[in-house]
Amino acid sequence: MPLENLLARWRMDPETAPNLPIWRITPPRPADLRPFPADLPSVLAESLTARGILSLYSHQIQAWEAARRGENVVLATGTASGKTLGYNLPVLAALLENPEARALYLFPTKALTQDQLSGLNSFQASIKNLKPAIYDGDTPQSHRSAIRKNANILFTNPDMLHTGILPHHTNWGDFFRNLRFVVIDEMHTYRGVFGSHVANVIRRLKRVAKFYGAAPQFILTSATIGNPQELASRLIESPVTLVNVDGSARGERHFLVYNPPVVDPALGIRKSSTQESVRLAQDLLGQNVQTVVFARSRRSVEILLTYLRGSPGSRTGRGSPGSRTGRGSPGSRTGRGSPGSRTGQGNREREEIENSQSSIPHSPSPIRGYRSGYLPSQRREIEKGLRDGSIRLVVATNALELGIDIGGLEAALLVGYPGTIASTWQQAGRAGRGDAPAVAIFVATANPLDQFLAHHPEYFFARSPEQALVNPDHLLILLNHLRCAAFELPFQPGEGFGELPAEKLKEFLDFLVGSQELHLSGDKYFWMADTYPAAAVSLRSASPENVLLHIEDGQTTRILGEVDLASAAWMVHPRAIYLHEGQQYFVQDLNLTRNTATLIPVALDYYTEPLRQTEVSLLATLDITPCPFAKHSSGAPSGTGESCTKAYGELQVTTHVTGFRKRQWLGGENLGEEPLDMPPSELQTTGYWLTLSEQTIEVLRATGNWTNDPNDYSPGWNHLRDAVRLRDGYRCQVCGAAERGNRQHAVHHKVPFRQFLSAADEVPGSYGEANRMVNLVTLCPSCHRIAETNLRMKSGLAGLATVLGQLAPLFLMCDRDDLGVYTDPSSTVFGHPSVVLYDQAPAGIGFSQKLFEIHSELLRRALELVEECKCEDGCPSCVGPAGENGVGGKQETIAILEQLAGRDRE
């Protein structure tokens, strides 16, 4: 067998075997089969038999029995375990028993909706009254009236239910009057902001159904997460029966963790995970093993496709990877100027934009991509090619993660941690349907979370630690849905909203009366505005305001899409490269007065990253707890009393986008930075923080593990600083920029000042050595930031912030971008040096309280990660790198964590 041959070769291959620290084999598992239940309608039994299904899995039987008892059910079993049949059977039985009954199926994506409809259609030959239909944004207007009138199983998504069905419920009167079942598939995707919105949409759905006299029963499905029953109950605000013992058959499964080899032990730099993934994928292709490769982003999909199709880095007229054809030699910036310089930048940029091509030709290939932005017809073509075997390898984002039928692939290659354990198993489960053997390979990146998982496989194989969190009562989200609910039906006296009691609801409704959005007549609250509230509420954002993206390409100006106002400054700032459906757009202008951005389509060989400065201020502390010092059986130094305090509360976060960095599309090389003059944005949210005690800092000082005290540059520093600026003509010595107004340039130590401190007692060894004129240089703010990055001495506090920020998503089931990280070394906010992790959603979504609760576990795992890393002084896989010529903070970070982690150190 080709797969077995390749696995045997990898075990012996000196280039591969040493980099496989984890190779877990799950033996085949027989199915736990049960006979059809006695109350299964004969029509369904005959239909199943005709399809070759002669019995059901044990979990399908349990779901059937619970549903027949009238209970709400959540099915949380593995990928391809037959969950679809688990909810279809009770629904179809209800339709057979009552031809007037209706069911609503909610799916997170349109592609999954199409796929599930085709599966249900197989019952139509035996069930005459079965009339399933899709109702989403792609449904032609001419078909919608007939669907509203005739469909008895409606396939849709939360967005369409929110904007296209509930606000127009009077057109759906018969449907809601007879609504018997609501099915919510892939429930684990409804978490965070999106999940909090969906929970409110479900509140509105139940409210409308009650108005028509219906009380639908819910069946939900979920991937493996730590709290499926809790999440299901929170989403529908009703008790739920959990079915989570998987009775389906499984073939032999291989789960491999591939950790790219270290190429620089001192710096902890590993070989590129992208290049290593390409090599492994080529091995699979060479053995004709049908494979899906999962990448975390659309950009990664395109890069992997380029390499796998045999022309890595080639872009017509742009040179090979690593070269700068038309740009000067590697490392130079011919035509761009040096970092911070603007020489020739504008002309070159305009040339590239004018000459760029808007698309890359597509040619048929057994290697295909699959991601958002593809036309539905292209997706169906790729899915069909995977099922019939004509496509041998597909590179996909998580768009292919959910249960779309793509047949039984033999291998799944995961390039980087997908973001959650649930997604990891969803993606791994795309390979090896049924009894056939299969392999899943997780290729770890240098990211600390990837490295932590590479060293702690128990997180993959033990009970998932992830807790999917939703907060339906999030203030901004709740108010938006109260507006939508009032538009749909007036609020009655004494009415609640889901689990929100009537007294609390009345406070919110009175607030909306005060803002002249609702009208109180008698005891009822009526919507009074002319606007259609659901149309202005995105389920993907907590922000009520959006920025519209306008395309100008010489044709009629059109709307590309929108981004929430809070994200606009860093996503669509002037000169940013914005990606939408695989197309690059250059942002010409951002107007925050009109909330519009102007873009033109381009095809450049670089992308942009925003440079941000953040400040945090404390608004209110909701809970605070002192934490004791760790006990060290080894006799290592520790303090007495409190090592730190943990807290969570309300914060104001002010973010200023100061510039942006350009990176080469292939390889990610830094092509320079440019400044921006943008207004700051403010976010009121919730945060978790830990604050070091004075005792902890004294212990760290005593052991030489504290470098966050401010530098004492010498009594005459201000005079010396003025002399250096005068010598340099008040100009930046890198880019030549002159000082403007009252803003003075920085004076920078070429060799860091702290490197002149005595290692024994941390006192200045010689001000003269550190502050010699030849060691000092004048730099503008932009160039100073670049120089500090290169020469920085990373503190233990900064290292602690890095590792906590990277690890937290493992426990929260959120993306890294859902959390912000901030360090306060100067004690200006919380009284002592602190590390803050805060929710990026306005008003918070619950992450901060959860971090407060798991504080001890988070610190213990952070200590394990940093100690197990093989680097010498900090690297991208633990506390972050120090900079090309800097000093890392690994030892300091370990010292801090040893005081805080609260376990014996042997």
Side-chain angles (χ1 to χ4, degrees), residues 309-371:
R309 284 176 171 171
S311 56
S314 65
R315 285 254 185 121
T316 305
R318 299 191 184 275
S320 59
S323 79
R324 296 289 176 277
T325 307
R327 298 185 182 279
S329 60
S332 80
R333 296 293 180 270
T334 305
R336 290 188 181 274
S338 59
S341 164
R342 305 293 171 263
T343 308
Q345 176 67 46
N347 292 337
R348 163 66 63 162
E349 196 166 71
R350 281 193 293 273
E351 270 181 41
E352 290 182 338
I353 293 168
E354 290 167 3
N355 295 333
S356 64
Q357 304 295 317
S358 62
S359 63
I360 298 173
H362 165 73
S363 57
S365 169
I367 303 171
R368 300 292 294 273
Y370 189 103
R371 54 172 174 73

Side-chain angles (χ1 to χ4, degrees), residues 305-559:
L305 270 177
T306 303
Y307 281 120
L308 286 167
R309 284 176 171 171
S311 56
S314 65
R315 285 254 185 121
T316 305
R318 299 191 184 275
S320 59
S323 79
R324 296 289 176 277
T325 307
R327 298 185 182 279
S329 60
S332 80
R333 296 293 180 270
T334 305
R336 290 188 181 274
S338 59
S341 164
R342 305 293 171 263
T343 308
Q345 176 67 46
N347 292 337
R348 163 66 63 162
E349 196 166 71
R350 281 193 293 273
E351 270 181 41
E352 290 182 338
I353 293 168
E354 290 167 3
N355 295 333
S356 64
Q357 304 295 317
S358 62
S359 63
I360 298 173
H362 165 73
S363 57
S365 169
I367 303 171
R368 300 292 294 273
Y370 189 103
R371 54 172 174 73
S372 61
Y374 286 22
L375 296 173
S377 58
Q378 288 177 305
R379 290 191 178 207
R380 301 298 88 75
E381 172 202 345
I382 294 166
E383 291 160 16
K384 179 178 179 295
L386 289 168
R387 287 193 296 269
D388 65 28
S390 58
I391 294 176
R392 303 309 300 165
L393 185 144
V394 62
V395 185
T397 59
N398 60 2
L400 206 54
E401 174 184 309
L402 302 178
I404 300 164
D405 182 13
I406 54 174
L409 305 182
E410 297 172 88
L413 185 65
L414 286 58
V415 185
Y417 178 55
T420 67
I421 300 293
S423 290
T424 301
W425 286 119
Q426 287 282 100
Q427 293 183 5
R430 299 310 276 161
R433 302 219 161 195
D435 298 331
V439 63
I441 309 106
F442 162 54
V443 180
T445 69
N447 180 276
L449 184 49
D450 285 39
Q451 290 302 309
F452 179 81
L453 290 167
H455 290 88
H456 293 272
E458 67 269 18
Y459 277 88
F460 287 125
F461 301 109
R463 180 179 179 271
S464 172
E466 297 170 335
Q467 304 284 312
L469 303 179
V470 295
N471 178 15
D473 297 333
H474 179 287
L475 181 61
L476 297 179
I477 294 174
L478 176 62
L479 283 174
N480 275 329
H481 286 279
L482 289 177
R483 295 180 178 101
C484 297
F487 177 88
E488 290 152 7
L489 291 168
F491 277 99
Q492 305 291 329
E495 182 180 357
F497 189 60
E499 293 185 347
L500 192 70
E503 304 79 30
K504 191 69 175 175
L505 174 62
K506 185 176 184 303
E507 295 178 18
F508 292 123
L509 296 178
D510 288 341
F511 169 79
L512 294 175
V513 169
S515 62
Q516 299 186 338
E517 295 171 272
L518 299 186
H519 173 66
L520 180 60
S521 178
D523 291 331
K524 298 180 181 179
Y525 292 86
F526 294 85
W527 178 255
M528 64 178 292
D530 295 331
T531 55
Y532 163 42
V537 178
S538 166
L539 299 189
R540 318 288 166 158
S541 169
S543 173
E545 290 189 78
N546 294 307
V547 171
L548 289 178
L549 309 181
H550 295 267
I551 298 178
E552 292 188 358
D553 56 0
Q555 304 175 18
T556 304
T557 301
R558 61 190 187 277
I559 303 294

Side-chain angles (χ1 to χ4, degrees), residues 565-586:
L565 184 60
S567 303
W570 62 270
M571 289 184 70
V572 288
H573 58 75
R575 306 194 300 282
I577 300 299
Y578 178 76
L579 284 172
H580 182 86
E581 296 190 348
Q583 172 66 56
Q584 289 178 314
Y585 294 88
F586 179 83

Side-chain angles (χ1 to χ4, degrees), residues 130-312:
L130 184 58
K131 298 175 183 175
I134 292 176
Y135 194 87
D136 61 22
D138 293 336
T139 304
Q141 291 288 341
S142 58
H143 295 179
R144 297 189 176 192
S145 177
I147 291 172
R148 288 194 293 266
K149 182 178 179 181
N150 299 318
N152 53 11
I153 299 183
L154 190 71
F155 289 69
T156 190
N157 54 65
D159 304 271
M160 192 64 177
L161 179 63
H162 160 60
T163 59
I165 297 177
L166 291 175
H168 311 292
H169 61 84
T170 53
N171 296 330
W172 295 85
D174 286 343
F175 184 88
F176 283 114
R177 196 171 291 112
N178 296 288
L179 186 58
R180 176 73 178 80
F181 276 101
V182 176
V183 171
I184 303 178
D185 199 23
E186 307 287 1
M187 169 198 77
H188 61 281
T189 62
Y190 303 126
R191 59 185 189 267
V193 170
F194 184 36
S196 302
H197 274 295
V198 171
N200 277 287
V201 172
I202 299 301
R203 285 173 164 177
R204 289 162 50 200
L205 169 64
K206 293 171 73 173
R207 183 169 180 259
V208 168
K210 182 179 180 181
F211 175 78
Y212 287 96
Q217 188 176 346
F218 287 80
I219 302 178
L220 306 95
T221 74
S222 175
T224 303
I225 58 175
N227 62 336
Q229 190 170 23
E230 177 193 349
L231 177 62
S233 299
R234 196 88 166 102
L235 282 172
I236 69 171
E237 295 182 311
S238 295
V240 174
T241 298
L242 173 64
V243 177
N244 64 346
V245 179
D246 192 337
S248 63
R250 280 289 184 275
E252 183 178 77
R253 298 288 187 268
H254 296 256
F255 187 88
L256 284 58
V257 173
Y258 183 90
N259 206 3
V262 174
V263 294
D264 188 325
L267 297 177
I269 295 174
R270 294 182 179 272
K271 224 172 177 181
S272 162
S273 58
T274 298
Q275 296 290 353
E276 291 295 273
S277 296
V278 168
R279 182 178 67 80
L280 295 173
Q282 288 170 338
D283 284 351
L284 290 161
L285 272 174
Q287 291 292 321
N288 200 31
V289 175
Q290 195 178 26
T291 301
V292 56
V293 178
F294 283 105
R296 278 186 58 87
S297 67
R298 294 178 295 186
R299 181 185 296 123
S300 297
V301 167
E302 295 300 331
I303 291 172
L304 286 163
L305 270 177
T306 303
Y307 281 120
L308 286 167
R309 284 176 171 171
S311 56

